[in-house]
Amino acid sequence: MTEQVITTDLVALDVDFGTTTGEVIQHLADTVHATGRASDAAILASDAQTREAKSGTGVPGQVAIPHCRSAAVAVPTLAFARLSRPVDFSGPDGAATLVFLIAAPEGGGKEHLKILSKLARALVRKEFLQGLRAAATSAEVVDLVLGVINAAPKKKQKKPASEGEAAAAGTATAAAASTFAAAQPERTAQSTDSRPAAATAVTRIVAITACPTGIAHTYMAADALAQEAAAREDVDLEVETQGSSAVTPLAPEVIEAADAVIFATDVGVKDRERFAGKPVIESGVKRAINEPKVMLDEAVAAAHNPEARRVQGQAAARTDSSAADSAGLSWGKRIQQAVMTGVSYMVPFVAAGGLLLALGFLLAGYNVGTDDGWKAIVLGHSITDLPGNVVDFDGQTYQFDRSGLLLYLGAVCFATGQMAMGFIVAALSGYIAYALAARPGIVPGFVGGAISVLVGAGFLGGLVTGILAGLIAMWIGSWKVPRFIASLMPVVIIPLLSCLSVGLVMFLLLGRPLGALMTGLQNGLSSMSGSSAILLGIIIGLMMCSDLGGPINKAAYLFGTAGLSTGDEASLRIMAAVMAAGMVPPIALSIATFLRAKLFTPAEQENGKSAWLLGLSFVSEGAIPFAAADPLRVIPSMMLGGATTGAAVMALGVTSQAPHGGIFVIFAIAPWWGFILAILAGVVVGAAAVIALKQFWPNKAAQAATEAAKAPVQA
């Protein structure tokens, strides 16, 4: 490392950074930007606030550690503030007075993250926190932080062992296993020492800690558990941190010797099947930080309880409602997250396929998609045998507006796009099932999606089969089977039975009703005209702008892209309304910051300089920093603008062959002037609404942040 992760310029002592987490994060991001370590304070703040929105970063000791990986960060950086006015970061013991912003480069190497993780480990040490509170100067804080980051790793302290235990440990074949054996006075079978064992039975526990970002909570949870275990005589603990630094897996011998397992994670456990059959205690990562003693007590109790829940491997991970509750997630929330996972995996198929279809139309003309004419070209011709305007193939004659190389390349693009679009329902279904049941859910999920296409159930069927396949695979994976059958479960039994179950349910029960529902929906959309079409456009616009990239926005986008491959005009109009409405918020907010800059904070003004480009590219998330800082004024205004655009698109009969790209795929939109006019109408309404709300209903927090930015920077 050529630069220190923290300097005195990155420390602010006894400062008032506002009353909300967003304000504190923005001030710290501004501090990082001022030192030249971040290219854009608004982007850094937005990335950190997005992480904060997933779960509060408050930890014991009235400390908060907002953190993120960001493309705006040049070098790994720590910014620190000791607050004179505490701010609630959802910590277990009240509002935070000590706040670290941990900013890592988006593409930073493992070494960077190792350094940042050392700080997270230090935050569970009382003496370190006392030093931060007592520091009189910024230099003292820097010395304290660099002291823990640059400290050499401590060797693990083993508990005292008797001579007999040491002898038993010496016979172990691996160092990890010997460490465990040496600590087990009552459980070491190989000991030849005849003296009585110690009175206290020792429970061997292994733990996995992991948080979504993998920088801070992962390591804090590990150290909180380790420190609690070190203070006890009845527990021997080994922890595997599945963070962003290099993961050192627990030795197989250690796992085999363990009496119980703790999973303190907010994400899936990697290689979960290693722990199959072990009693398990499972929760979110923050519980391990806040309640390490309770979790260890629960693990000890589970180790001695024959009825305790046990790890069934990835296929059956957390199959009962109590498991879901212990992780803080209801079944409804888990299914919602699974659907969002399916959508996120499906979107690249839609984007690539849809843009290739649009490019095919651009090169070959719009009749390349009529009556499978593209298939006649790509299968009947080649680059050395270019097609003319008239093509005969398989007993049929096709006529095109263009010929030669452009027609052939356009048909190739269109054919490739069709193949990609053919996967969207299967990908949606497959990855919903994957999110619920991990790898065993993929096969029945994809098969269910293919069946949905066959019976005409479309994306509605894909949603149903994805959830169904995931739940069935999860249930089958939970079966207790003899060991000789267990090896066949993941590769034969689970795929076979889950695929069969999904097929039977779809063909015998749900397929035709879902197909009829989908056909009715498509026919209803095709028949929409006049006021009914405008109402649909309003609803689409409201959905696209309600949460700016969240579940409602994604649901509207899925609705628009689902019918894109059919090519009917109603579906293409819906796609145009979806894309146009989604472009409105970033553009409207950008223009508003130019027109009335004083109504926005300096960070929002800076963000407004680039938000318009994100809007033109159909990246609704460009408006998130504005919405996060002032949701009550921004979101209703943007919904009004989006509804205006959606209604205008439907009224003008605008269609889009492309699912993404914004203004840059204008060639695939007709009429192009109607598309632009609809966007302009929504932008004007949205910008005027947000300016009016901020003018006549001032945001006091934003005003305070603006005044604070004008004041001299405090050291």
Side-chain angles (χ1 to χ4, degrees):
M1 296 291 298
T2 57
E3 291 190 62
Q4 293 181 347
V5 294
I6 187 169
T7 64
T8 54
D9 295 332
L10 293 164
V11 176
L13 298 180
D14 304 319
V15 292
D16 185 346
F17 275 175
T19 59
T20 67
T21 59
E23 291 175 295
V24 175
I25 290 172
Q26 185 63 63
H27 276 89
L28 289 170
D30 290 339
T31 301
V32 175
H33 178 254
T35 63
R37 291 167 171 259
S39 58
D40 191 313
I43 292 176
L44 172 57
S46 174
D47 290 338
Q49 288 167 6
T50 298
R51 167 62 188 88
E52 190 72 28
K54 294 178 180 178
S55 64
T57 56
V59 296
Q62 295 182 309
V63 180
I65 48 168
H67 55 277
C68 66
R69 287 192 292 266
S70 175
V73 177
V75 293
T77 299
L78 304 175
F80 172 74
R82 191 168 68 197
L83 303 178
S84 59
R85 178 162 53 169
V87 174
D88 185 10
F89 278 79
S90 302
D93 50 4
T97 56
L98 304 178
V99 183
F100 277 98
L101 174 63
I102 307 178
E106 189 171 58
K110 301 288 188 183
E111 202 61 35
H112 295 162
L113 296 170
K114 288 181 182 178
I115 292 173
L116 296 176
S117 71
K118 288 184 178 180
L119 171 69
R121 292 177 180 276
L123 292 176
V124 298
R125 304 175 194 166
K126 293 181 180 179
E127 64 274 12
F128 179 68
L129 297 182
Q130 290 171 352
L132 293 176
R133 297 187 192 283
T137 64
S138 299
E140 290 182 34
V141 173
V142 171
D143 289 341
L144 279 168
V145 174
L146 293 181
V148 299
I149 288 177
N150 297 329
K154 295 181 179 180
K155 293 183 178 179
K156 183 180 176 181
Q157 298 295 319
K158 298 181 182 180
K159 296 176 184 177
S162 69
E163 294 177 5
E165 293 155 6
T171 65
T173 58
S178 67
T179 301
F180 265 69
Q184 308 308 312
E186 287 193 351
R187 297 180 180 267
T188 305
Q190 294 91 345
S191 176
T192 58
D193 194 344
S194 61
R195 289 176 298 179
T200 303
V202 177
T203 303
R204 296 165 290 191
I205 301 173
V206 291
I208 301 291
T209 61
C211 67
T213 308
I215 295 177
H217 288 83
T218 298
Y219 304 100
M220 294 183 67
D223 275 16
L225 290 170
Q227 288 189 24
E228 177 63 30
R232 299 172 57 152
E233 294 296 325
D234 64 332
V235 168
D236 195 350
L237 176 73
E238 291 279 349
V239 184
E240 177 183 312
T241 52
Q242 294 185 352
S244 295
S245 298
V247 176
T248 302
L250 291 165
E253 297 87 352
V254 172
I255 297 174
E256 182 65 27
D259 299 307
V261 180
I262 292 175
F263 291 151
T265 68
D266 291 332
V267 294
V269 176
K270 298 175 183 175
D271 300 323
R272 183 188 182 106
E273 61 272 11
R274 294 175 294 163
F275 306 93
K278 299 291 183 183
V280 62
I281 299 299
E282 195 162 1
S283 77
V285 69
K286 287 188 69 175
R287 184 167 181 248
I289 300 173
N290 299 337
E291 302 177 352
K293 182 180 184 302
V294 175
M295 291 202 72
L296 289 175
D297 288 342
E298 291 174 355
V300 171
H304 297 88
N305 180 8
E307 302 300 321
R309 189 169 68 90
R310 295 176 181 269
V311 180
Q312 300 293 330
Q314 281 186 319
R318 297 154 86 173
T319 57
D320 53 58
S321 59
S322 63
D325 292 340
S326 69
L329 293 177
S330 66
W331 273 105
K333 183 65 174 179
R334 290 180 65 188
I335 290 175
Q336 177 193 336
Q337 289 184 348
V339 171
M340 291 301 296
T341 299
V343 171
S344 69
Y345 277 102
M346 181 205 73
V347 165
F349 287 92
V350 175
L355 290 173
L356 283 168
L357 292 179
L359 186 58
F361 284 128
L362 176 66
L363 295 174
Y366 282 95
N367 56 359
V368 71
T370 305
D371 297 326
D372 289 341
W374 56 273
K375 189 181 295 184
I377 296 172
V378 297
L379 295 181
H381 293 270
S382 67
I383 195 70
T384 59
D385 179 23
L386 296 173
N389 293 98
V390 179
V391 175
D392 294 318
F393 181 78
D394 200 20
Q396 294 189 13
T397 300
Y398 303 88
Q399 190 165 356
F400 302 98
D401 296 333
R402 299 176 187 174
S403 62
L405 183 61
L406 280 181
L407 178 60
Y408 180 73
L409 292 178
V412 169
C413 290
F414 193 90
T416 307
Q418 283 283 61
M419 297 305 100
M421 295 294 287
F423 280 102
I424 61 175
V425 175
L428 173 67
S429 177
Y431 286 107
I432 290 174
Y434 169 75
L436 288 170
R439 284 178 293 181
I442 292 179
V443 174
F446 269 84
V447 171
I451 294 173
S452 297
V453 174
L454 177 64
V455 300
F459 81 94
L460 289 178
L463 288 170
V464 172
T465 56
I467 296 171
L468 185 64
L471 295 177
I472 290 174
M474 187 188 301
W475 173 61
I476 296 173
S478 69
W479 294 354
K480 295 182 179 180
V481 298
R483 185 174 295 274
F484 72 93
I485 295 179
S487 61
L488 297 176
M489 290 290 286
V491 294
V492 177
I493 296 176
I494 295 176
L496 172 63
L497 295 182
S498 56
C499 286
L500 177 61
S501 300
V502 171
L504 289 173
V505 170
M506 287 299 291
F507 283 120
L508 299 181
L509 296 175
L510 299 180
R512 291 188 180 182
L514 287 173
L517 179 61
M518 192 68 185
T519 300
L521 179 61
Q522 291 172 340
N523 292 339
L525 292 176
S526 299
S527 65
M528 275 189 167
S529 61
S531 59
S532 60
I534 292 174
L535 176 61
L536 177 61
I538 291 173
I539 294 172
I540 289 172
L542 292 172
M543 292 178 69
M544 287 300 297
C545 301
S546 61
D547 57 358
L548 304 171
I552 300 175
N553 173 285
K554 288 295 188 291
Y557 182 72
L558 175 62
F559 181 57
T561 57
L564 195 60
S565 59
T566 65
D568 64 275
E569 185 174 351
S571 297
L572 300 183
R573 289 168 68 184
I574 292 171
M575 188 68 250
V578 166
M579 183 153 61
M583 295 168 64
V584 167
I587 301 174
L589 288 164
S590 180
I591 290 176
T593 60
F594 282 111
L595 295 178
R596 295 297 304 275
K598 292 182 179 179
L599 297 176
F600 296 86
T601 66
E604 290 173 326
Q605 295 172 32
E606 187 67 24
N607 193 66
K609 295 177 183 178
S610 59
W612 63 272
L613 182 58
L614 295 174
L616 290 177
S617 305
F618 183 34
V619 180
S620 305
E621 289 83 351
I624 287 178
F626 298 92
D630 193 7
L632 295 180
R633 295 163 185 80
V634 170
I635 291 179
S637 302
M638 296 307 102
M639 290 176 68
L640 185 61
T644 302
T645 292
V649 165
M650 289 297 187
L652 296 172
V654 180
T655 62
S656 174
Q657 299 279 353
H660 215 291
I663 202 69
F664 301 103
V665 292
I666 196 71
F667 62 83
I669 298 171
W672 62 266
W673 57 265
F675 186 73
I676 294 176
L677 186 62
I679 293 173
L680 287 176
V683 166
V684 169
V685 170
V690 76
I691 288 174
L693 284 177
K694 286 181 175 286
Q695 175 71 42
F696 299 110
W697 183 26
N699 184 344
K700 295 180 180 179
Q703 292 177 339
T706 303
E707 294 301 321
K710 295 178 181 179
V713 178
Q714 301 184 50

